[in-house]
Amino acid sequence: MKRISIIITQVLLFGGLVSCSDDEKADGYGNFEATEITVSAEANGKIEYLNLEEGDPLGKGELVGIIDTLQSHYSKEQLRASKRSVSSKSRNVLSQIGVLEEQLKTAKNEKERISRMYEEEAATKRQLDDVEGKVSVLQQQIRSVRTQNAPILNELETLDVQIAKIEDQIEKSKIINPVKGTVLSKYAEPGEITAFGRPIYKIADLDEMTLRVFISETQLSELEIGEEVNVKIDAADGMKTFPGKVSWISSSAEFTPKIIQTKEERVNLVYAVKVIVKNDGSLKIGMPAEMWLE
């Protein structure tokens, strides 16, 4: 009878230890997040090409689609034709300036020759005045023609700006993936008409996930940025553990979210903490997880 009593006592004690272990709670609860980027169209037109599907991995800078650029191409060619026409006007003006400058060069040489002759009393004052007047007239003519060329040059600069603008529109018709990651959602298909700002797909880098958990004020002293913690998720055979590192701790408290449990159930204010976890492929956005301090 005494032996049976000892056995019962041991069973009850073991049961109490198991119960205490079951009652043990994690230091923080939360859900996994990732930085999601929505890639939108930067041009208007028909989507001629879009090579991506949900779940596809994409590299940064990868060309994934093209929006029709035919109208932009026609506009660019029209501007180039206008530039060639205006350039021909400028060339005519410049050729006039070239002729006048050659005449001016000859007149200046003549002026120097007459000046030396005048000093030697081999030429009259009237001859010197005539050649100086000719030089002055040619200089005035060159200034006048250059003034005529100024608005032509301004028009050429305006056309260059317009051409650059069209080239930028053509470049933005290419759908370039901005970051390395995995396609989460696809909002458009080839052949559809899109517009500036319309979402085309959503992407996020899932190689590293961020667990956003909430802790009580009393737990703040146990955590610091860079500290290593354990992160656990539900698995078929129990809990699966991942190593994590604290990357951010909120400096202000907030009310406990309804979906979040805390170590102290009556705590009204909690602090948000972000934990970086390397993803082996099993972690998903929105998946619940627990944070355990080592």
Side-chain angles (χ1 to χ4, degrees):
M1 185 70 180
K2 184 176 180 181
R3 179 178 176 82
I4 294 174
S5 176
I6 292 173
I7 292 174
I8 293 174
T9 302
Q10 290 176 341
V11 170
L12 291 175
L13 179 60
F14 178 76
L17 291 173
V18 172
S19 176
C20 291
S21 177
D22 291 341
D23 288 341
E24 186 179 0
K25 293 183 178 180
D27 296 283
Y29 299 84
N31 299 83
F32 281 107
E33 302 175 345
T35 302
E36 302 178 8
I37 297 177
T38 300
V39 180
S40 302
E42 295 186 83
N44 302 321
K46 181 181 178 182
I47 300 177
E48 297 289 349
Y49 166 76
L50 187 61
N51 184 27
L52 59 85
E53 296 295 337
E54 294 180 357
D56 286 352
L58 298 177
K60 181 178 180 180
E62 185 176 343
L63 175 66
V64 296
I66 294 177
I67 300 172
D68 180 33
T69 61
L70 185 59
Q71 295 302 318
S72 296
H73 175 73
Y74 286 153
S75 298
K76 181 180 177 180
E77 290 303 313
Q78 184 178 10
L79 289 171
R80 281 180 169 176
S82 298
K83 182 179 178 181
R84 286 193 293 268
S85 175
V86 175
S87 296
S88 65
K89 297 178 183 178
S90 181
R91 284 194 297 270
N92 291 335
V93 172
L94 292 176
S95 65
Q96 294 178 31
I97 293 175
V99 171
L100 291 173
E101 285 180 341
E102 284 298 321
Q103 293 177 359
L104 178 61
K105 182 179 179 181
T106 302
K108 286 182 176 180
N109 291 336
E110 181 69 12
K111 177 184 175 182
E112 291 178 2
R113 188 178 66 84
I114 297 296
S115 295
R116 287 195 299 270
M117 291 175 64
Y118 179 75
E119 291 174 356
E120 296 173 358
E121 297 182 355
T124 64
K125 182 69 167 62
R126 181 172 181 176
Q127 289 176 311
L128 180 61
D129 291 341
D130 287 343
V131 73
E132 287 179 344
K134 186 176 181 180
V135 169
S136 178
V137 168
L138 287 171
Q139 290 174 336
Q140 182 63 35
Q141 288 178 341
I142 291 174
R143 284 194 293 269
S144 176
V145 174
R146 282 178 176 167
T147 302
Q148 296 174 15
N149 195 45
I152 298 176
L153 295 177
N154 291 336
E155 188 175 356
L156 285 174
E157 290 180 1
T158 301
L159 290 171
D160 285 337
V161 171
Q162 292 177 351
I163 291 173
K165 182 178 179 181
I166 294 295
E167 289 176 342
D168 181 65
Q169 292 176 355
I170 293 175
E171 189 64 25
K172 288 182 177 178
S173 296
K174 300 176 183 178
I175 304 172
I176 306 295
N177 184 55
V179 296
K180 174 181 175 293
T182 302
V183 178
L184 303 179
S185 303
K186 183 181 179 182
Y187 305 121
E189 296 290 342
E192 292 183 0
I193 303 298
T194 190
F196 181 87
R198 179 183 173 185
I200 296 178
Y201 66 96
K202 182 185 291 184
I203 189 171
D205 187 356
L206 303 182
D207 290 343
E208 281 189 345
M209 303 288 287
T210 300
L211 176 63
R212 186 183 181 92
V213 299
F214 296 88
I215 62 173
S216 65
E217 184 177 1
T218 57
Q219 294 172 283
L220 279 178
S221 59
E222 303 178 42
L223 271 181
E224 61 182 17
I225 294 177
E227 183 174 348
E228 295 183 354
V229 296
N230 286 324
V231 173
K232 297 183 179 182
I233 63 171
D234 293 326
D237 55 351
M239 302 290 287
K240 186 175 181 180
T241 303
F242 295 83
K245 181 178 290 186
V246 177
S247 64
W248 174 80
I249 301 175
S250 174
S251 58
S252 58
E254 55 187 287
F255 287 104
T256 308
K258 294 181 180 180
I259 61 172
I260 300 297
Q261 305 177 54
T262 59
K263 192 171 183 179
E264 298 173 345
E265 295 181 356
R266 290 180 294 178
V267 172
N268 291 324
L269 294 175
V270 292
Y271 291 82
V273 174
K274 290 183 179 180
V275 180
I276 301 297
V277 182
K278 192 72 175 178
N279 188 6
D280 63 355
S282 59
L283 304 181
K284 309 297 180 184
I285 296 175
M287 177 183 288
E290 301 174 354
M291 180 191 73
W292 294 72
L293 300 178
E294 293 185 353

